C-alpha cells in the first residue's frame, strides 16, 4: 500500500502490458495467465521474474508438470531479458510436481509457503496450475488452495502469477472467481498469418484497457502493443484547424490553385495510380517546409528512403538529405511485410511526439492495411491516426493508391480516414491526343476556395511544374479525353 | 568376494528427471535412492550408507549448495563425493570448491557414467 492506502503496483517488465493493466499488477495480487501451448505464458512469466529481479526484488519460479528447467533455459537464453547471472541469487527455479504427487495440494502449499518466505519473494510464478486442479479432490479443495495462496500473497506482499492452459472441457473455471485478474493469451492463424493477442478477462480494482491487443515474441522477449485506438494523447478532442499561414507545396501553379496552400493542421489525401507522382509531390511538400525552417517527418512503407532522396535530387527537389542531416527532417520506414499495425501506428505516434513536426507525410497508407491483424479494425485505426495528428495540429499529407491506371470510377480505399480528410488531390494518368500524360486535379478543399481545373504534371530537372495544357479537353477523368468542347457519350466510343 | 554395487543418492526436484536417472543407473547396477530436496537428502544420509550424492542446485526447502555445505561440515558425510547438476553454465566454475564434479544440464548418459565410474565407489 502507498501512503494514501492505495495498493502498490508492480511493473511486469513487459512493454505495453502495464498500460493495459492500469499500471501493472497489484502487490500481493494473485493472477492467472492462461492460454494454449506456445502462446507465450512462460516467456511472459520469466520476463516478469527477471524484470522484478533487475529492480532488486526476489522472484521464484515453481514448475509443476511443465517443461524441464534446462529446456526452459535453453529456449530463454536467446531472449534479451534472460540474465543467467541472476540465477539462483535473485531468480530461483524449483520443481514441485513430485511434492504435488506425493503430498497433494497441502504439500504443494507448504512448499510454496516455504520457498516464498525463505527467499522473501516479491514475485512467484506457479507454472502448470492445471496439474494442481487435477490433483484436487473437488472444486472446493481447489478453491481452498487458491484461497490459501491469496492469504500467503497478502501476508508476504508477494504477487503470485499462475500459468495454466485455457482448454477446459467443462468451460467452467472455478479459479477465475478466486483471483485478482485473468489474462488470456491466444495464438491463432488468420488464413496463413500467425496472430498473437492478449486480453484482460478480469482485473479487480483496476481499469484495464479491454479487448484484444497484439502480442509479439522475439529475441527482445514478449511485447504487448495496446490497440492504437486506445493510445491517443490525453485530453478532449475538438477538431480545430490551427491558425497561421497556409502550407504551400513550393510548386507555384499548385499553390495558386490551392490559394496559397493547404490549411495549417489539415489532412490532405494525395490519391493516384502507381507512377502518377504521389511520392514526388509529397517529398516536394516536405522540402518546401524544410526551406521555411519547419520540421518534417516522412513515414513510408514501400519505396526505400534512400531511393526516394536520390530521386528527389535528380528532379531538383532539394534539401531533404540536408534536412535529415541537420535534424529538421526524419525518415521512418517500415518494410511492407507483415507487421503489427499497432506497432507501426505507435512508431508514427512516437515520432510525431518526439520531433513535433509541422509537416508529416505518410507515403502509402496501404502499408497499414498490410499490417492489419483484423481488417475490420482498419477504419478505427485510421480514425485514431487522423485524430492524433489533428490533435497535435500537424499538417499531414498521405498518399494512397488507386487500383487501376485508368478507371472511370475512382474508389477511395481508405475508410475511416477519408471523413477526417479536409483536402483531396487526385493524380492520375490520362489519355490526351494519343499521349499518356500525368494530370493533377483538386477534388476537395474543405471550407476554402480552390481552382478545380485539371493541370498536366511535368517533372523536370528543376522540379515539378503544372501546365495548363488540358484546358480544352473533356472526359479525361474517365480515362480518355478528347480535345475541344465536343462531348462524346462513353458508350459510343 | 564381489564388492557391493555403489549406492547413489539422487537429489532432484524436477519430476521426470530424477525418475529417468534412477531407471538408467539401476540398469547399470547402481543402487539408487531419490530425494526431492536437500533436507530429505540429509535424512537419507543419516539412515543408510551412500557412496555418492548427485544433486540439483535449486530446490525447495534446502538447495544443493546448502546440502553440500552441511555434508562438508559433518564428519559422517564429509568424504562422500558430491556431483552437482546445473542448468547454469555460469555456475560451473564458481561452485567447484564444494563439489567433486559438476555436470551441466542437459548432459549425456555417457558424461554422467564417466563421472560416476570415477567417483562412486564404496568407502574404504
Amino acid at each position: 500500500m502507498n501512503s494514501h492506502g492505495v495498493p502498490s503496483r508492480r511493473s511486469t517488465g513487459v512493454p505495453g502490458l502495464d498500460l493495459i493493466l492500469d499500471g501493472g499488477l497489484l502487490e500481493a495480487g494473485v493472477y492467472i495467465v492462461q492460454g494454449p501451448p506456445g502462446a507465450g505464458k512462460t516467456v511472459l512469466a520469466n520476463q516478469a521474474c527477471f524484470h522484478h529481479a533487475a529492480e532488486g526484488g526476489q522472484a521464484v519460479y515453481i514448475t509443476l508438470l511443465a517443461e524441464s528447467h534446462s529446456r526452459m533455459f535453453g529456449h530463454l537464453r536467446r531472449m534479451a531479458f534472460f540474465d543467467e547471472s541472476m540465477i539462483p541469487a535473485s531468480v530461483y527455479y524449483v520443481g514441485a510436481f513430485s511434492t504435488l504427487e506425493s503430498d497433494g495440494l497441502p504439500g504443494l502449499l507448504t512448499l510454496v509457503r516455504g520457498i516464498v518466505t525463505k527467499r522473501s519473494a516479491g514475485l512467484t510464478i506457479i507454472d502448470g496450475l492445471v496439474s494442481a486442479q487435477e490433483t484436487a479432490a473437488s472444486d472446493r479443495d481447489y478453491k481452498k488452495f487458491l484461497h490459501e495462496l491469496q492469504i500467503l500473497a497478502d501476508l508476504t506482499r508477494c504477487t503470485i502469477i499462475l500459468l495454466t492452459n485455457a482448454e477446459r472441457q467443462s468451460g467452467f473455471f472455478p479459479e477465475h472467481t478466486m483471483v485478482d485478474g485473468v489474462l488470456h493469451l491466444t495464438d491463432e492463424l488468420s488464413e496463413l498469418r500467425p496472430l498473437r493477442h492478449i486480453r484482460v478477462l478480469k482485473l479487480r480494482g483496476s481499469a484495464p484497457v479491454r479487448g484484444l491487443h497484439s502480442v509479439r515474441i522475439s529475441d527482445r522477449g514478449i511485447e504487448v502493443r495496446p490497440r492504437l485506438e486506445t493510445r491517443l494523447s490525453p485530453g478532449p478532442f475538438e477538431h480545430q484547424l490551427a491558425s497561421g499561414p497556409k502550407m504551400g507545396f513550393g510548386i507555384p501553379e499548385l499553390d495558386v490553385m490551392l490559394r496559397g496552400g493547404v490549411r495549417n493542421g489539415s489532412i490532405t489525401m494525395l490519391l493516384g495510380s502507381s507512377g502518377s507522382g504521389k511520392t514526388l509531390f509529397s517529398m516536394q511538400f516536405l522540402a518546401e517546409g524544410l526551406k521555411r525552417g519547419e520540421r518534417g517527418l516522412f513515414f513510408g512503407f514501400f519505396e526505400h528512403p534512400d531511393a526516394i532522396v536520390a530521386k528527389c535530387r535528380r528532379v531538383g527537389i532539394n534539401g531533404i538529405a540536408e534536412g535529415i542531416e541537420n535534424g529538421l527532417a526524419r525518415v521512418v520506414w517500415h518494410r511492407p511485410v507483415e507487421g503489427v499495425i499497432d506497432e507501426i501506428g505507435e512508431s508514427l505516434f512516437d515520432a510525431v511526439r518526439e520531433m513535433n513536426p509541422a509537416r508529416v507525410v505518410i507515403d502509402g497508407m496501404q502499408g497499414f492495411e498490410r499490417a492489419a491483424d483484423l481488417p475490420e479494425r482498419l477504419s478505427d485505426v485510421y480514425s485514431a491516426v487522423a485524430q492524433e495528428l489533428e490533435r497535435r495540429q500537424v499538417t499531414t499529407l498521405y498518399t494512397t493508391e488507386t487500383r487501376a491506371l485508368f478507371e472511370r470510377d475512382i474508389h477511395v480505399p481508405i475508410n475511416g480516414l477519408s471523413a477526417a480528410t479536409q483536402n483531396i488531390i487526385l493524380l492520375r494518368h490520362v489519355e490526351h491526343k494519343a499521349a499518356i500524360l500525368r494530370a493533377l486535379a483538386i477534388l476537395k478543399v474543405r471550407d476554402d476556395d480552390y481552382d478545380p481545373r485539371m493541370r498536366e504534371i511535368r517533372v523536370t530537372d528543376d522540379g515539378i511544374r503544372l501546365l495548363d495544357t488540358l484546358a480544352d479537353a473533356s472526359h479525361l477523368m474517365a480515362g480518355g479525353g478528347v480535345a475541344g468542347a465536343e462531348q462524346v457519350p462513353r458508350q459510343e466510343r | 568376494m564381489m564388492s557391493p554395487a555403489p549406492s547413489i543418492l539422487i537429489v532432484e526436484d524436477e519430476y521426470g528427471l530424477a525418475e529417468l536417472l534412477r531407471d538408467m543407473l539401476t540398469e547399470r547396477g547402481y543402487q539408487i535412492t531419490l530425494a526431492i530436496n536437500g533436507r530429505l537428502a540429509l535424512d537419507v544420509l543419516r539412515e543408510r550408507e551412500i557412496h555418492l550424492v548427485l544433486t540439483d542446485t535449486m530446490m525447495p526447502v534446502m538447495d544443493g549448495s546448502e546440502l553440500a555445505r552441511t555434508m562438508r561440515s559433518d564428519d559422517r558425510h564429509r568424504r562422500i563425493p558430491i556431483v552437482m547438476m546445473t542448468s547454469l553454465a555460469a555456475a560451473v566454475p564458481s561452485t567447484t570448491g564444494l563439489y567433486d564434479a559438476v555436470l551441466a544440464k542437459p548432459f549425456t548418459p555417457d558424461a554422467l557414467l564417466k563421472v560416476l565410474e570415477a567417483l562412486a565407489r564404496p568407502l574404504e
Side-chain angles (χ1 to χ4, degrees):
Chain A
M1 298 271 179
N2 65 19
S3 57
H4 303 289
V6 178
S8 304
R9 289 181 185 275
R10 291 193 198 289
S11 165
T12 58
V14 175
L17 184 56
D18 292 350
L19 279 168
I20 66 170
L21 294 178
D22 199 17
L25 301 174
L26 292 174
E27 183 189 271
V30 179
Y31 296 88
I32 285 175
V33 175
Q34 65 178 33
K41 303 184 293 293
T42 307
V43 177
L44 187 151
N46 275 286
Q47 193 164 330
C49 284
F50 281 93
H51 177 73
H52 184 65
E55 292 196 325
Q58 286 286 330
V60 171
Y61 198 109
I62 300 168
T63 51
L64 294 174
L65 212 48
E67 65 184 329
S68 73
H69 297 162
S70 58
R71 284 176 74 90
M72 193 194 294
F73 294 166
H75 297 140
L76 294 175
R77 274 196 181 96
R78 68 186 178 91
M79 306 271 177
F81 65 79
F82 186 75
D83 180 356
E84 209 159 311
S85 70
M86 288 184 170
I87 312 171
S90 303
V91 185
Y92 200 81
Y93 291 81
V94 295
F97 187 72
S98 301
T99 302
L100 183 65
E101 281 276 276
S102 56
D103 303 327
L105 288 181
L108 176 61
L109 194 65
T110 303
L111 182 151
V112 176
R113 274 189 197 132
I115 195 90
V116 167
T117 47
K118 183 177 179 183
R119 300 196 64 83
S120 305
L123 178 64
T124 294
I125 312 294
I126 300 178
D127 188 353
L129 184 69
V130 69
S131 302
Q133 190 193 15
E134 286 164 0
T135 305
S138 64
D139 278 352
R140 190 165 171 273
D141 279 354
Y142 182 47
K143 283 184 170 183
K144 206 171 127 195
F145 167 73
L146 294 169
H147 177 69
E148 293 188 67
L149 279 184
Q150 277 187 325
I151 293 172
L152 173 68
D154 211 30
L155 281 176
T156 57
R157 311 311 295 163
C158 178
T159 301
I160 299 178
I161 300 176
L162 310 166
L163 308 186
T164 188
N165 198 307
E167 303 298 324
R168 199 68 56 81
Q169 278 185 337
S170 68
F172 176 60
F173 299 85
E175 63 270 36
H176 285 193
T177 60
M178 304 293 297
V179 295
D180 297 294
V182 180
L183 310 185
H184 184 78
L185 286 160
T186 59
D187 181 14
E188 291 165 340
L189 275 183
S190 169
E191 294 178 350
L192 292 177
R193 203 168 159 196
L195 298 176
R196 293 180 195 275
H197 286 108
I198 191 167
R199 186 175 158 210
V200 181
L201 296 183
K202 170 184 176 178
L203 205 61
R204 272 186 192 147
S206 310
V209 183
R210 300 184 71 85
L212 293 180
H213 305 280
S214 308
V215 167
R216 178 190 282 266
I217 299 177
S218 68
D219 289 354
R220 295 201 300 260
I222 189 165
E223 295 168 284
V224 173
R225 297 287 173 182
R227 284 197 325 286
L228 198 63
E229 305 90 293
T230 66
R231 299 286 295 123
L232 302 178
S233 295
F237 174 69
E238 281 178 43
H239 176 65
Q240 197 178 351
L241 288 181
S243 54
K246 284 187 165 181
M247 313 289 257
F249 279 73
I251 303 170
E253 300 86 359
L254 180 57
D255 290 340
V256 169
M257 289 169 75
L258 287 165
R259 310 299 185 232
V262 293
R263 294 276 291 272
N264 193 1
S266 64
I267 296 179
T268 301
M269 177 196 295
L270 204 52
L271 176 66
S273 51
S274 174
S276 59
K278 299 183 297 297
T279 301
L280 282 183
F281 270 83
S282 52
M283 293 312 281
Q284 175 61 45
F285 179 70
L286 275 189
E288 175 63 10
L290 296 175
K291 210 165 88 182
R292 299 181 190 190
E294 298 163 359
R295 292 179 181 279
L297 169 67
F298 176 88
F299 194 88
F301 296 94
F302 298 98
E303 210 168 345
H304 193 277
D306 291 345
I308 295 173
V309 170
K311 190 160 75 179
C312 286
R313 272 214 190 91
R314 284 199 299 276
V315 299
I317 300 173
N318 297 315
I320 303 287
E322 295 78 2
I324 294 169
E325 217 170 279
N326 64 29
L328 213 52
R330 187 189 288 189
V331 172
V332 179
W333 186 69
H334 290 269
R335 286 178 186 281
V337 292
E338 285 179 3
V340 176
I341 193 167
D342 305 289
E343 189 177 332
I344 291 171
E346 190 66 28
S347 88
L348 171 64
F349 286 6
D350 285 346
V352 168
R353 286 166 192 160
E354 279 166 30
M355 78 174 299
N356 197 20
R359 299 181 186 220
V360 168
V361 163
I362 304 172
D363 191 29
M365 282 302 284
Q366 287 90 342
F368 280 97
E369 202 173 318
R370 288 203 188 183
D373 46 358
L374 305 167
E376 56 269 33
R377 282 191 57 208
L378 270 175
S379 176
D380 289 343
V381 169
Y382 288 146
S383 296
V385 169
Q387 198 172 323
E388 183 67 8
L389 293 169
E390 285 187 329
R391 192 195 297 267
R392 302 191 76 86
Q393 303 202 320
V394 177
T395 307
T396 304
L397 180 75
Y398 68 91
T399 72
T400 187
E401 197 162 294
T402 52
R403 287 191 180 88
L405 288 183
F406 303 97
E407 56 188 344
R408 183 178 177 83
D409 301 316
I410 297 166
H411 300 277
V412 178
I414 310 287
N415 291 327
L417 190 54
S418 46
T421 300
Q422 284 87 22
N423 319 306
I424 301 177
I425 298 173
L426 175 68
L427 308 181
R428 67 175 306 176
H429 293 88
V430 295
E431 182 189 348
H432 182 60
K433 293 181 179 175
I436 305 297
L437 307 177
R438 287 188 286 185
L440 175 148
I442 298 171
L443 298 189
K444 168 185 169 185
V445 176
R446 190 177 292 170
D447 301 332
D448 224 335
D449 182 38
Y450 64 94
D451 181 351
R453 283 178 297 172
M454 187 179 291
R455 298 290 198 283
E456 181 190 344
I457 301 167
R458 287 272 175 88
V459 179
T460 72
D461 290 347
D462 298 319
I464 303 169
R465 301 301 308 271
L466 297 181
L467 308 180
D468 199 6
T469 52
L470 305 172
D472 62 344
S474 303
H475 290 88
L476 290 170
M477 280 301 160
V482 292
E486 183 188 358
Q487 300 285 310
V488 181
R490 185 176 175 78
Q491 61 270 28
E492 292 174 17
R493 287 183 287 135
Chain B
M1 196 171 104
M2 278 179 64
S3 58
S7 168
I8 294 174
L9 171 58
I10 298 173
V11 193
E12 171 60 75
D13 61 341
E14 272 197 70
Y15 181 78
L17 180 56
E19 287 74 9
L20 173 74
L21 292 173
R22 178 193 59 199
D23 295 349
M24 193 175 79
L25 295 178
T26 303
E27 270 180 31
R28 303 279 175 154
Y30 291 99
Q31 293 179 50
I32 303 299
T33 308
L34 297 183
I36 55 173
N37 62 53
R39 178 77 49 79
L40 293 173
L42 288 174
D43 291 345
V44 172
L45 286 168
R46 277 191 285 271
E47 287 170 7
R48 69 186 70 168
E49 188 182 27
I50 294 292
H51 301 134
L52 183 142
V53 172
L54 182 61
T55 182
D56 187 21
T57 41
M58 291 181 284
M59 289 177 292
V61 187
M62 181 185 281
D63 63 21
S65 58
E66 199 178 340
L67 167 65
R69 274 195 296 274
T70 308
M71 286 175 64
R72 295 299 186 223
S73 63
D74 186 328
D75 287 343
R76 289 169 297 173
H77 313 313
R78 189 192 302 274
R79 293 172 61 210
I80 300 173
I82 305 173
V83 178
M84 180 183 78
M85 302 178 287
T86 177
S87 306
L88 307 170
V92 174
S94 63
T95 49
T96 45
L98 270 180
Y99 307 97
D100 295 275
V102 175
L103 282 169
K105 291 182 190 172
F107 49 78
T108 61
D110 282 351
L112 172 64
L113 291 171
K114 215 168 166 180
V115 169
L116 296 188
E117 277 161 23
L119 297 174
R121 56 178 61 96
L123 296 172
E124 290 165 6

